[in-house]
Amino acid sequence: MSDPTNWLLIAPVLLVVGAVAGTLAGLLGVGGGIVIVPVLYWLTEIGMLDVPGDLAIHFAVATSLLTIIPTSISSARAHARKGSIDFEMFRSWAPMMVAGALLGGLIAANVNASMLSAVFGVIALIVVANMLNPKPLTLAPAPPESLAARAAIAGPIGVLSAMMGIGGGTLAVPTMTLLSLPVHRAVGTAALFGLMIAVPGIVGYALAGQDIPGLLPYSLGYINIPAALVISVATFIFAPQGVKIAHLLNARRLRVAFAVFLGISGVKMLSEAFA
């Protein structure tokens, strides 16, 4: 990747990936990692990014997490202008999510990737079935207020999201809708949660990747700074466009859009788990 010729080939690909990821971030409240991670991994497989196979997934996930910071800021600002962020829920869940994300980043190097992919895939498809139901299931008339219940919900979202390099919306949006939060507010709030997941997750990956040979130049642990910066330029620009699209859709159509996105992600995770 230090070869200038490689940069001329890689940068346009990363900008396109960032544009798609940024639009999805604004539209669905996700961090864009569900797009960024597989593309970065694919670039290592075809040799455009010189990362050893046993380090490739950790590089992809960690670098994706860094892009979530500007993406979440851009998306959350646009959602806030639309009044679609539940700041009370954010303040209530954020501390547990931060703790979970830090733990997820630290243990990611030792996690069984196939098992994690399988669990994510199964949960994702269950959530999809519920979101496509004309009368979706709700588990409670309002989010729980007890500390134990909030920790039991927000903590695992932080752990799993940091491990997979995603912003949290993939898990947080359906969880909040199960707790009777309107889908537009769930998407807007999840955009802000992405920032809470990315920062501690980055710390974990930076610490876990110290002194490991074979990583790309200008890396901080597993995180490659140049690749993250190129992607982030596009995600920051395109996230507000996704927000505009989200608010043009009614709640039912937004639920269907999220279900389609999550269904594709779930099938992909399951296929990788059993490949």
Side-chain angles (χ1 to χ4, degrees), residues 77-146:
R77 286 175 60 194
H79 278 292
R81 286 194 290 268
K82 298 285 187 179
S84 57
I85 294 179
D86 190 321
F87 287 101
E88 183 178 349
M89 173 168 277
F90 170 75
R91 287 189 293 268
S92 177
W93 285 23
M96 296 79 168
M97 208 169 281
V98 168
L102 181 57
L103 178 62
L106 287 170
I107 67 176
N110 301 311
V111 73
N112 184 318
S114 295
M115 181 180 296
L116 183 62
S117 295
V119 170
F120 178 90
V122 170
I123 293 174
L125 294 182
I126 292 172
V127 171
V128 166
N130 180 55
M131 296 196 84
L132 290 177
N133 187 340
K135 295 183 178 180
L137 173 70
T138 55
L139 297 180
E145 297 184 0
S146 74

Side-chain angles (χ1 to χ4, degrees), residues 192-213:
L192 197 53
F193 281 144
L195 190 61
M196 297 298 100
I197 288 170
V199 173
I202 287 166
V203 172
Y205 275 104
L207 294 174
Q210 289 295 313
D211 302 319
I212 293 180

Side-chain angles (χ1 to χ4, degrees), residues 201-274:
I202 287 166
V203 172
Y205 275 104
L207 294 174
Q210 289 295 313
D211 302 319
I212 293 180
L215 292 169
L216 295 169
Y218 309 108
S219 290
L220 179 63
Y222 286 111
I223 305 161
N224 184 250
I225 305 299
L229 288 176
V230 174
I231 294 170
S232 296
V233 169
T235 60
F236 189 87
I237 293 171
F238 279 86
Q241 307 309 313
V243 174
K244 291 179 182 179
I245 297 171
H247 284 270
L248 292 174
L249 300 175
N250 62 30
R252 173 62 182 166
R253 289 180 179 176
L254 187 56
R255 291 179 69 91
V256 170
F258 192 92
V260 170
F261 161 77
L262 192 56
I264 293 170
S265 302
V267 171
K268 181 181 182 301
M269 288 287 187
L270 285 173
S271 67
E272 289 182 355
F274 296 105

